[in-house]
Amino acid sequence: MNRHRSQSFLIHLLALGLLVFFGLAGVSRAADPAPADSPPAARRTTLADLPPAAQYTVSAQFGRDDPAYHVDGSAPTPQANNPRQGLSASLSPTALQVRAGEIDWNLTLTGWGRDGALMRPALNPAPVQQANRVEYTNGDLTAWYVNGPLGLQQGWTVRERPAGEGELTLTLRSQGLAAQADADGRSLTLNDDHGMTHLRYAGLLAFDANGRELPARFVVEGEQVRLAVNDAGATYPLTIDPWVQVAKLATVADVGGGELGSAVAVSADGGTLVAGAPYNDTGGSNRGAVYMFVRPAGGWAGATETAKLTASDGANNDGLGITVAISADGSVVIASARGNDAGGSNRGAAYVFVRPAGGWADATETAKLTASDGADDDFLGSSVAISADGGTVVAGEHSNASYRGAAYVFVRPAGGWATATETAKLTASDGASFEYLGTAVAVSADGGVIVAGATYNASRGAAYVFVRPAGGWATATETAKLTANIGPNFDQLGSAVAVSGDGGTVIAG
């Protein structure tokens, strides 16, 4: 995957074309294609789509498990390198020095407390370091840093409520780049003398001991940056948590990254999050893993990793987690490993993980799902979807039969999920080579309607709708084919698809 490493790109928002079809539903999980001849990556849910507090939690966990983000404590001042953001940093008790290419930026904590009664920070110069985290503590103030793929978090924890009136305030001095607050005061852009943005000091989050988010903002006056938090009614200790990121072009291919949340899925109530890490090296090289996070009662701000899920037969370059899906109640997770050999080479597989009675915990799969007619380089799991009740799984295989593609349906047996091949194989009646059916798939809440995108059908793309027969899913061709009545060649309709819970509305990107 190509990634821009320049330090002077601005955030770019991409507009996605959508077509809505009524009358015929679940979320598409389109893959990040590995083969050079695979279709372009479809827009997918990534970590960037999650609330900031959840992003912090997941990024910190990935950084803890990836040595590339671990802090080097052998130097007089701990050093952090962030390969994804293209920056390095020195982490001292009161000063953060960030280097990105030729850019050198310093942010120094000069005071904390209440306006008119600020205290000078006097932190213990001896750090407490663990993997990707560094802490400095003295009395009621702790300064800490956490390094992860989404950025370098710089945070403070205030143990006791400071005396006085007004907002809790931290004052900082910005040197090397000029700070400019965004309109909402939640982010800073760091600009050079020519007005070019190089870094973002963003994602400002403040929360109390109960996980309640508190109003917080940046105020800039020359070199001084004031971080103000309304702590009225807050229960201490209180945590303040912004992070440093390189300002760069965010393309569809970049968002989420390869090793970091190539795909994420969230349960219907927003309480269970699954994030794929297909290039995780647990037990080998690029075997992949899936991380589970369960939201605590106080909210995502206080969350930590709940479980890490892996494949019992994982092999190098399997890429478990390249696509993921989760049932509505968060009890069943599907993760594909499209590089899994499954009796050949790169045939692909989808792994089912079922939540134990005691809750999510580190585990291997409950079942492995494969194609009965799998062939080498089919890449089953290019996309996956699951019904709301966790009983119907769809896995796309866009490379099947000279890239005609197919969608494989797996229905949970009466006794529960077990290793098996498909219940049904769905194909296009007019399918031709290199049409890539299955690039994206979606399924309705009850598992009765399936939609599969074929991005190069007739060079323009199409979405195929399959409706479950009265006798249950069986190998078949489509019930309906949905196309755009306008558009030039190579529009790639079907790069992303979704279907409503009742199956009555289909959307194709």
Side-chain angles (χ1 to χ4, degrees):
M1 185 184 301
N2 295 325
R3 291 187 175 93
H4 295 284
R5 289 300 183 189
S6 300
Q7 311 306 321
S8 57
F9 286 105
L10 295 175
I11 296 298
H12 176 67
L13 300 179
L14 296 175
L16 297 179
L18 295 175
L19 288 183
V20 184
F21 302 91
F22 295 101
L24 290 178
V27 176
S28 166
R29 306 293 174 202
D32 169 17
D37 54 358
S38 293
R43 179 66 171 93
R44 57 193 180 271
T45 304
T46 66
L47 292 182
D49 300 308
L50 301 177
Q55 292 184 42
Y56 283 127
T57 297
V58 179
S59 181
Q61 181 60 48
F62 275 93
R64 193 193 72 179
D65 279 4
D66 188 342
Y69 297 95
H70 290 185
V71 175
D72 179 7
S74 62
T77 301
Q79 304 292 304
N81 289 311
N82 195 301
R84 173 149 178 80
Q85 296 294 324
L87 59 82
S88 60
S90 297
L91 315 175
S92 76
T94 57
L96 168 65
Q97 182 183 19
V98 178
R99 297 170 297 279
E102 298 179 356
I103 298 302
D104 198 330
W105 176 59
N106 294 271
L107 187 68
T108 304
L109 178 67
T110 58
W112 70 284
R114 309 281 185 192
D115 278 343
L118 294 178
M119 297 172 280
R120 293 182 61 84
L123 295 165
N124 189 330
V128 176
Q129 179 184 335
Q130 184 177 22
N132 62 328
R133 183 182 179 94
V134 173
E135 285 189 5
Y136 296 94
T137 302
N138 188 22
D140 287 340
L141 182 66
T142 297
W144 48 267
Y145 305 91
V146 178
N147 196 24
L150 284 184
L152 175 65
Q153 293 172 243
Q154 180 186 27
W156 297 271
T157 301
V158 181
R159 188 178 305 276
E160 299 289 343
R161 182 183 298 274
E165 301 294 331
E167 295 175 310
L168 173 66
T169 300
L170 279 70
T171 56
L172 306 118
R173 184 170 66 249
S174 172
Q175 296 175 297
L177 293 172
Q180 180 177 341
D182 291 350
D184 62 0
R186 299 297 294 270
S187 299
L188 298 179
T189 55
L190 287 310
N191 309 316
D192 62 19
D193 293 340
H194 303 288
M196 183 69 71
T197 299
H198 294 273
L199 297 171
R200 296 180 69 243
Y201 195 57
L204 175 60
L205 180 69
F207 56 92
D208 70 2
N210 296 323
R212 181 170 68 93
E213 188 171 344
L214 306 173
R217 69 189 192 284
F218 291 113
V219 179
V220 178
E221 298 172 352
E223 286 190 349
Q224 185 184 81
V225 176
R226 187 162 58 89
L227 200 164
V229 179
N230 184 345
D231 64 343
T235 302
Y236 276 70
L238 186 149
T239 301
I240 306 167
D241 190 0
W243 61 16
V244 179
Q245 299 170 308
V246 169
K248 63 179 181 179
L249 184 68
T251 68
V252 168
D254 283 336
V255 173
E259 73 280 12
L260 173 62
S262 284
V264 299
V266 184
S267 60
D269 67 355
T272 305
L273 163 66
V274 53
Y279 302 131
N280 183 277
D281 290 336
T282 299
S285 176
N286 296 334
R287 293 192 176 188
V290 174
Y291 289 83
M292 299 297 302
F293 300 86
V294 177
R295 182 181 57 201
W300 282 112
T304 57
E305 175 205 359
T306 304
K308 184 177 181 180
L309 309 178
T310 53
S312 61
D313 63 347
N316 293 346
N317 301 314
D318 271 4
L320 179 69
I322 191 71
T323 58
V324 297
I326 190 170
S327 61
D329 66 354
S331 66
V332 183
V333 166
I334 308 299
S336 71
R338 62 180 191 168
N340 184 273
D341 289 338
S345 176
N346 294 328
R347 295 188 175 187
Y351 289 80
V352 182
F353 301 87
V354 177
R355 181 177 60 203
W360 286 110
D362 290 358
T364 56
E365 75 281 355
T366 305
K368 179 180 179 180
L369 309 178
T370 54
S372 62
D373 62 348
D376 291 352
D377 299 321
D378 269 0
F379 299 104
L380 179 70
S382 297
S383 55
V384 293
I386 187 170
S387 59
D389 66 356
T392 303
V393 169
V394 185
E397 190 178 271
H398 66 228
S399 301
N400 184 277
S402 296
Y403 297 94
R404 283 177 168 85
Y408 288 78
V409 184
F410 304 85
V411 177
R412 180 175 53 202
W417 283 111
T419 294
T421 55
E422 76 280 356
T423 305
K425 179 180 178 180
L426 308 179
T427 55
S429 61
D430 62 348
S433 298
F434 300 101
E435 290 194 343
Y436 298 104
L437 180 70
T439 295
V441 295
V443 60
S444 61
D446 67 353
V449 178
I450 289 171
V451 182
T455 52
Y456 288 103
N457 178 271
S459 297
R460 295 186 178 186
Y464 288 79
V465 180
F466 304 85
V467 177
R468 182 176 56 204
W473 284 111
T475 295
T477 56
E478 75 280 357
T479 305
K481 178 182 177 181
L482 309 178
T483 56
N485 61 3
I486 57 173
N489 290 343
F490 308 112
D491 265 6
Q492 300 178 45
L493 180 68
S495 293
V497 295
V499 61
S500 61
D502 64 359
T505 305
V506 169
I507 299 178

